[in-house]
Every structure is written in structure tokens, then in C-alpha cells.
Amino acid sequence: EGLLEVEGYVRGLDLSAERLLHVPGLGDFAIESAAVVADPLRPRRGGGTAASAAGSSMEVEGGVMECDGAGMEFDEAGGGAGGGGQRLLSARRVMDREYEAEPDSLAGEQTWPTEAELAAARPAPPGARGDDDDYQRGWTGALDAESDAEGESDGEGGAAMGQAMGGYSDDDEAMDADEEAAAEEDDGAARRAYLQQRAARDEDAKFPDEVDTPVDVAARVRFARYRGLASLKSSPWHPRENLPPEYGRVFHFEHWPTLQRQALKEQAVDEPPEGRAPAGSYVRLQLRVPRRFVELYGAEGGVGQAGEAAAPLVLSSLNTHENRLAVLHFTLSLTAAAEAAELVLRGKAPLVLQAGFRRYAARPIFSEDNRRSTKHKLERFVQPGRQVVATVYAPAMYAPCPLLAFLPDGEALRATPQLAGLPVASGALLSVDADRIILKRILLTGAPFRCHKKKASVRWMFFSPDDVRWFKPVELHTKFGRKGHIRSSLGTHGYMKCYFDGTMQQHDTVCMSLYKRAFPKWSGPFSYECE
């Protein structure tokens, strides 16, 4: 680590040493020391500015106020005629940098496997298969002989190549041609992948959530994690049921807007005016940052010897609970440039998110923007002209918090190079809520081949009588608005007798909706590196 020293103006709210400062691209860091200094651009009574007066950059009325990790100190050497000072910063309570919560290993209520179960789960050692020993030895001997032959041929070929290398000269044009051919092949592969994703997006728009029942696997096994719901809006689903282990590492907040208002009020009361740097003041701060800061911003700021001005560095102070990892939800919609380029944005695709003052890489999942329900359907793609909700694991943030999404280097950017450096989606922070239920829906479809008033015989939804009996309690519906249920299995090929609340038509489609809860993709410890 190195010591970073910055100077600048305080904007927005007052600055406190108790709070962490966010350095873009690196993370959040505690303030080592801080001082209010004279404004170098403020005119003085005798003419000129404070920057032109020698030795006056650290002078204020009454001296220089400094705060380090041990407490508050007052520098008498820089004092003026006032002989006293105002307390600037108080570091008695510094925010911690523990983003993740401590997971409870007993929260899952799982028992440790016994020694017998572990021994049964271990793979059998080579040669311990009994009847298959001769067969296994035959394969092993053939593979060993083949590997020995390959080794001998490689040795001969390597010697011959070594002899020929003495008279071989590199051909730059041939190498360039090979590189261009490889680049064209990569671009072609990226283009083919893009066309496949676009076809999948169009199919999802025409036939949302429809899947084919596998023929070789039982439906009760393939869809064992799904369940049926009578109503997506009113059917109960507990938000703390069957949570993944990653949810033990995030913080759960009951009601984020109320907590935000309460935290802002407590900050204004608990931090007295004499313990803060007021907005508009000019301060000098010192932080301990990694050496990677030099790679991102350089060793010196301001105007260099060549006269080129460095980009301004904006440090943001964190509010209460903004140093906690949580589940964030953002409203999101494609930009005009992304729609013109026909960008395909799929769920869990890598994106670079600029959320407020934070920038990080994430793989968000998308769900419908429905404010009137406690359960929200997963969206596999961001359809053009529609607004969705993106969910990610990230540090909590206060609203309002705008969001911009960019494409990282990869196949998506190679397929749409015109979007390089441009935001592909925009939105804002919706909520910080780990209990928001996102359900992935699948739609099993069948065709009625015999109808009589309210009765119908349906085929091609299942291919086994056991599957028909397994999914018998789940309610059916049709694309023409009829509702019904399974009465019994018919035959041995998965046909079934169904009963509906109205007259069935031969060209209708019978559907069954199944749901399971979806969670954001966990990519390990949170990091601000976007490469």
C-alpha cells in the first residue's frame, strides 16, 4: 500500500472522518488524516490568491486542524492571531470494511455425513472393480502402448524439426495473414453466437417460458425443483425458504427507505457541526490505497510538466450501511443505441455497472417490473421497449442512484463493435431487499386430440403415466382462457383425461405453469476490478 494525498473541495453534505471514502476502481478506505487548508483560489485582502502567498497553503484562522487515527491534534506552528481552533474531524468511531456478513453454518439444518456415507461416495480405486479387471487392464495396456508410440514419434519429429530450424526464416506476412484469419474466425464465431441469441430472444418473445418435456428423462425428475401455483399473485411463498449459501453472506434489511431516512437523521444529530468539514471548504486528505492506484490514475495529479491536466479524482463519502453487501434491484431498459444495434441482453450475461459513484462488474438476472405483487417472474432477455428489474449482489446504496450498464470486452462487444464505450442500458436504484422473490416459470404444453364439451384428452405434455399422476394436483389453463385439472391417465404413453370450466376447442393449447425461485449469480468475493 501507499499513502495517497489529495486536495479539493467538499461538495454535497459535510465531510466526516468517521466515514469511509470511495476511490473509483479501487474500493472504500478509511481516512488516515485530514486538514482544512486555505482555499488556493480564494482572493485575499492584499491582492492575489492564497496559492500565490508563500507558505500559506496550510493556514486558516486559528491554525491548521489535523486528525489522525489516534485522535485530534492542533498544529500551533501554522496558527494565526486567533490562538484557538475549531475541531474539524472526529475519528472515535470509524466505519469498518467488513462487507460480508458472517454466515451461520447451522442455518441450513443439515447433518454431516457419516464415515460410511463418505466411503460409499468415494470413487473406487483402479483395479478394484472385480469382474471388470481384465477388461480394464486391456484398455490400460492399449493406452500405455499408444502413449509410448506417440512419445517416440514426437521425439523423432522434434529432432527433425530441430535440424531444420537452422535454415528456417520467419515470414512476417504469413504470420500476419494467420492472425487475420484467426481474428476473422473469432468474429465469425461471435456473430454466429449473436444470431443464435437473437433467435432465442425472438422465440422467447413469441412463446414466453415454453419448454419441451424431455422424452428420455422423466418429467418428475427433470422438473423436481419446480412447483405449481394456483396464482402467481396471491399464492404463498416464504421469502426465507431454501435460500442458497450465498445469502448467508449478505445483510438483510427490513425496509430500506425507512432505514435510509432514519440513518440520515441520525448522522445529522450524532455528528456535531464542529466535528465535520462543511460543504464548500477546501481540505487535504490522506488515505492508504493499493499500488494499483498508480496504474489507474498515475503518481501525480493536477497539471504535469507537459501541460496536460490529469482527470479529476472524485472521492465519495459513504453513508451508514453503504459498506454492507446486500441484494440490490435496479430498474433497467435498453438505450436507443442498443436497440438500433439490435443488442441481445441475456440474463446472467457479464456487464459493467456504473451505479452512482461505484463501478463494478456483475452478472445480473432480470425480472418483470411489477410493483403490485410480492412475487416477480424471471425474464430471460431484456426485450426492446420494455423495462425490467436487474438484481445483483453489491454494496448497499442510498437512493436516488442512477445506473448505466456497459458491455465488457468479449463476444457481445465483438458482435456489436459500434457499442464500444457507450451505455447499453440505463436505469435507477429500485430497492435494497434480499427478500424480493423472483420466480422462474416454465410452461409445459400439450395438444387436445379429442374434445367433448368440457372434457378433453390431451397428449404430448407428458410421456409417462407416472408423470401424469405426479403432476395431477397442478392446475391447467389454456391459451384461450380456460382453466381445468387432470382427471386420470390414459394409456401408457402419457396421454391424460382433463376437465375444464368451459367448452374446449380442438385448436386450443393446454398449458401447465411450474415455478422455482431464482437467485443472482454469485461470483465470489466482491471486487471493483472490471477487467
Side-chain angles (χ1 to χ4, degrees):
E1 293 184 349
L3 185 64
L4 170 65
E5 183 173 316
V6 295
E7 294 183 2
Y9 295 95
V10 179
R11 301 301 185 196
L13 301 178
D14 297 344
L15 176 65
S16 173
E18 296 181 358
R19 311 200 171 277
L20 302 177
L21 287 182
H22 178 78
V23 181
L26 292 179
D28 307 326
F29 304 93
I31 299 177
E32 292 285 333
S33 64
V36 171
V37 299
D39 188 349
L41 301 179
R42 183 178 181 181
R44 301 174 61 88
R45 291 184 180 180
T49 61
S52 61
S56 63
S57 61
M58 295 289 291
E59 293 182 4
V60 293
E61 293 183 1
V64 177
M65 304 300 298
E66 293 188 354
C67 172
D68 53 18
M72 182 61 60
E73 294 182 1
F74 177 69
D75 189 2
E76 296 283 348
Q86 169 187 343
R87 187 175 184 181
L88 170 62
L89 299 173
S90 176
R92 293 175 298 177
R93 297 179 302 172
V94 180
M95 297 176 64
D96 60 80
R97 298 174 60 187
E98 298 294 333
Y99 289 97
E100 298 182 5
E102 190 68 25
D104 186 5
S105 59
L106 301 179
E109 299 181 358
Q110 295 181 355
T111 57
W112 190 257
T114 62
E115 292 295 335
E117 293 174 345
L118 291 176
R122 294 191 185 99
R129 297 187 58 180
D131 298 338
D132 296 339
D133 286 350
D134 297 337
Y135 180 77
Q136 186 70 23
R137 290 194 200 99
W139 272 107
T140 305
L143 291 175
D144 293 341
E146 184 178 355
S147 61
D148 295 340
E150 290 180 356
E152 294 177 358
S153 62
D154 291 344
E156 296 175 358
M161 184 177 294
Q163 295 176 0
M165 282 294 289
Y168 179 80
S169 60
D170 294 335
D171 189 356
D172 296 338
E173 295 182 358
M175 294 179 63
D176 294 341
D178 294 341
E179 292 178 357
E180 292 179 1
E184 291 179 359
E185 184 177 355
D186 293 341
D187 294 342
R191 183 64 180 177
R192 287 191 295 271
Y194 162 74
L195 293 177
Q196 292 177 359
Q197 290 186 0
R198 191 174 68 177
R201 183 195 65 182
D202 297 340
E203 183 180 359
D204 183 72
K206 296 178 181 179
F207 309 100
D209 306 322
E210 289 191 15
V211 298
D212 295 330
T213 305
V215 181
D216 54 345
V217 180
R220 62 186 183 278
V221 177
R222 172 62 181 85
F223 307 121
R225 299 176 59 186
Y226 292 83
R227 69 178 72 172
L229 293 179
S231 173
L232 179 63
K233 183 177 181 181
S234 60
S235 295
W237 194 302
H238 200 281
R240 303 294 175 90
E241 177 185 356
N242 295 332
L243 296 180
E246 294 80 13
Y247 261 51
R249 299 181 178 273
V250 301
F251 288 85
H252 297 252
F253 302 100
E254 292 296 333
H255 192 262
W256 183 251
T258 303
L259 190 63
Q260 176 179 337
R261 291 192 297 266
Q262 182 180 359
L264 291 176
K265 291 180 181 179
E266 291 179 354
Q267 289 177 198
V269 174
D270 295 344
E271 299 175 357
E274 61 271 12
R276 297 175 291 182
S281 58
Y282 193 82
V283 296
R284 177 180 291 125
L285 307 176
Q286 290 184 351
L287 309 172
R288 289 284 178 182
V289 297
R291 293 290 181 180
R292 187 168 174 266
F293 180 88
V294 179
E295 302 176 3
L296 297 178
Y297 301 100
E300 296 183 0
V303 181
Q305 297 180 356
E308 298 179 356
L313 177 63
V314 180
L315 304 182
S316 303
S317 178
L318 270 64
N319 292 307
T320 307
H321 305 303
E322 284 191 330
N323 59 331
R324 305 302 185 192
L325 190 67
V327 182
L328 273 62
H329 309 279
F330 298 91
T331 58
L332 195 73
S333 59
L334 294 177
T335 59
E339 292 185 0
E342 296 185 356
L343 174 68
V344 179
L345 201 57
R346 191 186 184 97
K348 296 185 180 181
L351 290 175
V352 177
L353 303 181
Q354 180 71 48
F357 55 83
R358 284 189 168 114
R359 186 183 182 93
Y360 48 85
R363 292 175 174 266
I365 62 173
F366 307 118
S367 58
E368 62 179 0
D369 187 11
N370 185 6
R371 314 290 176 89
R372 298 182 179 181
S373 177
T374 59
K375 295 176 287 296
H376 312 273
K377 189 175 72 70
L378 179 76
E379 297 289 346
R380 293 174 173 82
F381 297 90
V382 181
Q383 299 292 345
R386 292 180 56 185
Q387 179 172 284
V388 297
V389 176
T391 303
V392 295
Y393 293 112
M397 299 197 68
Y398 282 8
C401 175
L403 175 74
L404 292 177
F406 300 86
L407 289 178
D409 295 336
E411 292 185 358
L413 193 59
R414 288 198 297 267
T416 54
Q418 64 271 27
L419 296 178
L422 298 178
V424 298
S426 61
L429 178 66
L430 177 63
S431 64
V432 180
D433 186 12
D435 294 336
R436 189 176 190 269
I437 301 176
I438 301 175
L439 298 181
K440 178 181 180 181
R441 186 184 76 165
I442 61 172
L443 208 61
L444 305 182
T445 58
F449 69 96
R450 186 179 302 163
C451 300
H452 178 68
K453 295 184 179 181
K454 297 182 179 181
K455 301 177 183 179
S457 298
V458 182
R459 59 182 175 181
W460 299 336
M461 180 178 290
F462 303 108
F463 300 97
S464 170
D466 296 334
D467 292 339
V468 175
R469 288 188 289 268
W470 180 270
F471 290 99
K472 185 177 179 179
V474 183
E475 186 181 31
L476 301 176
H477 64 276
T478 70
K479 293 189 175 182
F480 286 177
R482 302 300 182 190
K483 291 185 178 181
H485 61 273
I486 301 174
R487 276 194 167 182
S488 62
S489 176
L490 181 62
T492 60
H493 297 283
Y495 293 9
M496 55 189 182
K497 295 180 179 179
C498 304
Y499 187 83
F500 295 89
D501 59 353
T503 303
M504 282 294 295
Q505 301 182 24
Q506 192 76 30
H507 58 281
D508 201 351
T509 303
V510 181
C511 306
M512 175 184 291
S513 298
L514 300 176
Y515 302 88
K516 76 170 182 178
R517 189 168 177 183
F519 300 94
K521 186 176 179 59
W522 179 265
S523 302
F526 184 80
S527 175
Y528 288 98
E529 296 184 4
C530 300
E531 289 80 1

